[in-house]
Amino acid sequence: MKIANSKVSAVRLVEDALKKAHEFEDYNIFTFLNDEGALKKAREIDEKIARGEKVGKLAGVPYALKDNFLSPEGETTASAHILQGFTSPITATAVKKLEDEGAIMIGRTNLDAFAHGSSTENSYFGPTLNSHDKARVAGGSSGGSAVAVALDIVEFATGTDTGGSIRQPASFNGVYGFKPTYGCISRYGVVAMASSTDCVGFFTKTPDDMDLLMSIANGKDSKDLTTLDDYYNSQSDFSRLAPSRPSLRGSGAHSAPVVADGLEKSDLRIGIIKEFDNDSVDSEIRKALKEKCKLLESKGYEIVELDMPALKYALAAYYIIVPAEITSNLSRYDGVRYGFRSENSSDLNGLYANTRDEGFMPENKRRIMIGNFVLSSGFYDAYFLKAAKVRTLIVKEYENAFSKCDFILTPVSPNPAFKLGEKVDDPVAMYLEDLMSVSLNLAGVPGLAIPAGKNSDGLPIGLQIVGPRRSDKNLIEFANELKEGA
Ligand code: GLN
């Protein structure tokens, strides 16, 4: 990525990014543009460079921030009416780490309200358009971030992935999108969707940029007790493996690093999930997957077939567990503490009810109702408890899979970007979009969406590489093996 130095000024980088952001206004990518704030920061960095002072690893790099990350710059709305008017007093840990290294936020990006969705059509501000075809969806929920990177407005963008919200829009727009191991990056200061599956991650144009961002953003945070120690930067370097020691394969999904020092790259086995190779998956996506397998075989990798029958329950379990957590996380929006308040009430209960009715999108309300239902005393055992058991099965299924292979290669979604309006009135069709992405979040394992060419309509095709927990760095390095023309 382009980083400011004595030859390229931060002001130039930021001006270029803002100019493009304004040029592409019709894509509805941004909910806020940080024209003044970004240029002010850029000038400060240029002054430091002129004085010969040390600047950060991301000095002057313009980036886009998904609008569910809290920071005092601009309102944080999560693209929801109920948060309009809310300016955060705090800064998310991930944002702070990026900005401490000199990255400059040029705008906040559009998402499905509260990140509930797969197209950005659930945004209060309307949908973001696909970077390759304006009649199609950007994907979601982090659609704005994906398109900002795909149209080359910014070097990178932040995202959150609770069930595919980074990987699916990345694949719909032909960029890299990474959901790390659960707990790798702090969730402090990120608008909560489902706390047990929410992950912070990024969109980039290359695996190397992803590696740089991960090396900066990961690590323990006393403000988020689910964060893990910085295992990322201590992982062995995939590209400098010497051929003498045996694989760590088989020692369980919690071991790190996944690739043992001394293991040769060609010793690696790549798993393909049998259950995802059927007619419900677009034929051109299946073809792209097969071509990548051939490429890997030609490089000496072994391809193994995996039976993962429990994955067929992942979507059902996800749409029970996640709404249950959503219901709890959204209970704080009451019209008293944050943002929007309905003026149409004469008493306190009316104020709560009307604010929530007017402030939430239909999909938010649907999930609140599902969540309350599955947690209710009459249905808890039948739904929530059962889904929690299925989750354990899925965790075990991945552990078992990673005793047979090192990484798994799968599609991200069953189809490329669909048409605007095609699924928005059919929640189940929209939920089916997440068929191949949600199991990773339930198991806490990392997944990287990679571009894998285009289909006959010129739409990007994406695949995802999945690894065991804490294999993040090796997984990103492995993506270089699958690059176009690699
Ligand atoms: N599309 C999924 C959902 O609507 C995932 C959303 C996300 O990852 N934030 O739940």
Side-chain angles (χ1 to χ4, degrees), residues 151-311:
L151 292 178
D152 222 0
I153 297 172
V154 283
E155 295 285 352
F156 73 92
T158 69
T160 54
D161 191 310
T162 302
S165 274
I166 291 178
R167 290 161 287 147
Q168 187 252 26
S171 76
F172 279 13
N173 292 283
V175 296
Y176 289 86
F178 187 48
K179 175 210 114 55
T181 299
Y182 179 78
C184 182
I185 300 179
S186 171
R187 289 177 293 116
Y188 175 74
V190 178
V191 176
M193 177 174 165
S195 309
S196 79
T197 68
D198 285 349
C199 288
V200 169
F202 302 104
F203 295 88
T204 62
K205 290 170 244 180
T206 66
D208 289 349
D209 286 353
M210 194 67 80
D211 179 45
L212 175 62
L213 297 172
M214 287 301 300
S215 70
I216 292 167
N218 88 94
K220 191 94 201 146
D221 179 10
S222 58
K223 294 172 180 150
D224 173 0
L225 295 180
T226 62
T227 45
L228 304 167
D229 289 328
D230 176 2
Y231 61 85
Y232 187 91
N233 287 310
S234 56
Q235 201 151 44
S236 63
D237 186 345
F238 183 73
S239 62
R240 278 189 273 120
L241 300 170
S244 60
R245 291 227 324 257
S247 166
L248 277 185
R249 196 184 298 139
S251 57
H254 299 276
S255 56
V258 62
V259 179
D261 286 331
L263 179 67
E264 271 191 293
K265 283 198 252 179
S266 57
D267 283 344
L268 297 186
R269 285 194 207 145
I270 311 302
I272 303 295
I273 303 175
K274 263 197 207 154
E275 283 79 2
F276 289 165
D277 191 16
N278 61 47
D279 288 343
S280 63
V281 183
D282 178 89
S283 61
E284 290 184 276
I285 294 180
R286 284 159 69 197
K287 194 164 148 242
L289 181 77
K290 290 197 172 115
E291 275 164 17
K292 289 294 183 199
C293 287
K294 270 197 213 130
L295 171 72
L296 289 173
E297 274 174 332
S298 74
K299 292 182 175 206
Y301 291 90
E302 190 186 337
I303 307 289
V304 294
E305 279 206 331
L306 302 169
D307 273 314
M308 299 185 73
L311 294 194

Side-chain angles (χ1 to χ4, degrees), residues 307-426:
D307 273 314
M308 299 185 73
L311 294 194
K312 64 173 169 294
Y313 305 116
L315 196 69
Y318 174 88
Y319 275 101
I320 291 170
I321 292 168
V322 165
E325 295 186 25
I326 285 173
T327 246
S328 163
N329 278 327
L330 292 189
S331 61
R332 72 192 66 171
Y333 303 106
D334 54 8
V336 176
R337 284 174 285 190
Y338 313 93
F340 165 76
R341 172 182 301 174
S342 169
E343 299 299 333
N344 301 325
S345 352
S346 52
D347 62 3
L348 190 60
N349 277 338
L351 181 134
Y352 294 151
N354 291 331
T355 299
R356 288 168 71 81
D357 183 30
E358 292 164 37
F360 285 128
M361 295 297 282
E363 183 59 29
N364 306 140
K365 294 181 199 171
R366 187 175 293 121
R367 295 191 189 206
I368 291 171
M369 289 195 292
I370 295 172
N372 278 308
F373 176 79
V374 298
L375 290 174
S376 62
S377 57
F379 294 99
Y380 178 88
D381 287 356
Y383 290 95
F384 189 80
L385 196 61
K386 206 162 241 160
K389 288 179 182 167
V390 169
R391 184 178 196 166
T392 303
L393 279 183
I394 290 167
V395 170
K396 292 210 172 114
E397 192 107 295
Y398 272 109
E399 281 176 2
N400 184 28
F402 289 123
S403 68
K404 299 185 182 126
C405 67
D406 299 277
F407 298 120
I408 300 174
L409 190 62
T410 86
V412 178
S413 69
N415 45 261
F418 48 93
K419 294 237 167 74
L420 285 158
E422 193 180 319
K423 304 191 182 197
V424 71
D425 296 322
D426 184 350

